[in-house]
Amino acid sequence: MNGLLIVNAFLKTGKFGALYDLLADAARRLEIGLSVKTNAETVSALYRGAFRPETYDFCLFWDKDVQLAAQLEGQGLRLFNSSDAVAACDDKALTYLRLKPCGLPMPETVIAPKTFSNVGYTDLTFAREIGAAMGYPLIVKECFGSFGMQVYWCRDAAALTERVRSLGGAPFLFQKPVMESLGRDVRVNVVGDRAVAAMLRHSESGDFRSNLTIGGSMEPHALTRAEEALAVRAVHALGLDFAGVDLLFGRDGPVLCEVNSNAHFATTLQCTGVNMAEEILRHIRSVCLA
């Protein structure tokens, strides 16, 4: 079995390289051929007619270049994850819109009205009205962002309006914080129909965010049935083959925070001993051979 691993040509930090190495090592152990190509060289090959989709049994698409993903699907490749699923996770507003009709517990959310980057939010009446209706504190979360960045705590109306003004037109959400979960969440790694690993993340600095990239710590977490069921339902609802699902501790049970189609998993291996690269490639193999 031969596969294609698509990675981003322009993200070259050690964190990304380590993840790609884990995938390549797992493929070798499972006797799966895995060719690594960047999105840039693949775009070039497609245009020049040099891309040969028949060479590959699958494509492990570890990027958010959804336009390229859709082109590869048009070439007949089965992508893990699909272009539609990646797009739905990359835009937090779209994630919310996809999941809300499913009845999954999520934080109270309002999607900000659209503006344009060369215009910005020139009238902040809507922000003051929504803030007054939701109550303070509240969270402003940009629709595109990773690793806990682009997420802001607004303690009052003045902080909210200043934050919205500073966004310069970037799309964002208003969210009511789940106060019982400040500085704590659970990262659940789901593959297919199973939650295969979970870790509790918590802030060491008093930050309301728990992401490890911004200084959080981690420990293995034994999932409750409700937590596992919620994580798997979210993955299925978005059409994902695998994902990292972030859950909060709500007053009445787990609350869905975010779903990550390309979740980094080196810390999951370090924390739990579960190698997500092997879990993902085993799943791909079983789907392709079914």
Side-chain angles (χ1 to χ4, degrees):
M1 176 178 291
N2 292 307
L4 173 64
L5 172 62
I6 295 290
V7 303
N8 191 276
F10 313 106
L11 292 173
K12 295 185 177 180
T13 66
K15 177 180 290 190
F16 286 91
L19 186 148
Y20 306 150
D21 288 343
L22 285 171
L23 289 167
D25 290 344
R28 281 192 290 270
R29 285 194 296 275
L30 296 171
E31 298 183 338
I32 297 172
L34 194 64
S35 300
V36 183
K37 303 290 184 184
T38 70
N39 61 331
E41 61 187 319
T42 305
V43 166
S44 175
L46 281 167
Y47 177 71
R48 293 182 289 107
F51 184 76
R52 298 288 179 263
E54 67 276 6
T55 306
Y56 308 108
D57 299 299
F58 67 88
C59 174
L60 177 51
F61 198 83
W62 212 275
D63 196 11
K64 296 183 178 181
D65 189 340
V66 293
Q67 292 84 4
L68 174 59
Q71 291 179 73
L72 294 178
E73 287 167 337
Q75 295 279 317
L77 274 176
R78 168 63 158 93
L79 265 62
F80 298 83
N81 287 299
S82 72
S83 60
D84 181 74
V86 172
C89 290
D90 191 32
D91 182 342
K92 294 177 177 61
L94 188 53
T95 305
Y96 175 76
L97 291 171
R98 290 282 183 91
L99 294 178
K100 184 62 175 177
C102 301
L104 304 183
M106 293 185 287
E108 185 179 335
T109 300
V110 176
I111 300 171
K114 181 179 178 63
T115 185
F116 303 91
S117 58
N118 63 326
V119 176
Y121 293 102
T122 56
D123 183 346
L124 297 178
T125 302
F126 77 94
R128 288 188 287 269
E129 290 176 344
I130 291 170
M134 292 186 81
Y136 294 96
L138 59 77
I139 291 169
V140 164
K141 182 181 292 187
E142 293 187 42
C143 291
F144 299 95
S146 302
F147 307 118
M149 307 299 183
Q150 296 85 40
V151 180
Y152 314 103
W153 183 265
C154 298
R155 66 184 181 277
D156 54 29
L160 174 64
T161 53
E162 178 57 31
R163 175 55 63 187
V164 173
R165 183 182 290 110
S166 74
L167 294 179
F172 74 95
L173 311 171
F174 301 88
Q175 279 192 343
K176 199 166 185 62
V178 178
M179 299 301 290
E180 297 84 0
S181 197
L182 293 187
R184 297 187 305 144
D185 71 2
V186 176
R187 163 60 60 85
V188 186
N189 290 280
V190 177
V191 180
D193 296 322
R194 300 182 302 122
V196 298
M199 57 182 180
L200 173 66
R201 306 183 300 186
H202 46 89
S203 171
E204 296 287 349
S205 63
D207 197 307
F208 72 99
R209 300 162 297 176
S210 59
N211 303 71
L212 301 177
T213 302
I214 55 176
S217 61
M218 60 186 177
E219 60 188 73
H221 178 73
L223 290 169
T224 67
R225 289 184 179 180
E227 289 168 344
E228 181 170 6
L230 177 55
V232 172
R233 283 182 65 197
V235 166
H236 286 180
L238 291 167
L240 293 153
D241 289 285
F242 55 85
V245 181
D246 296 340
L247 303 180
L248 303 174
F249 297 94
R251 182 179 303 171
D252 301 314
V255 175
L256 181 64
C257 180
E258 292 184 6
V259 183
N260 305 275
S261 63
N262 303 77
H264 283 247
F265 50 71
T267 50
T268 299
L269 175 60
Q270 178 185 349
C271 180
T272 69
V274 176
N275 189 332
M276 292 302 303
E278 289 190 4
E279 296 287 346
I280 289 168
L281 285 162
R282 285 195 187 99
H283 170 75
I284 291 173
R285 184 172 61 185
S286 68
V287 170
C288 291
L289 295 178

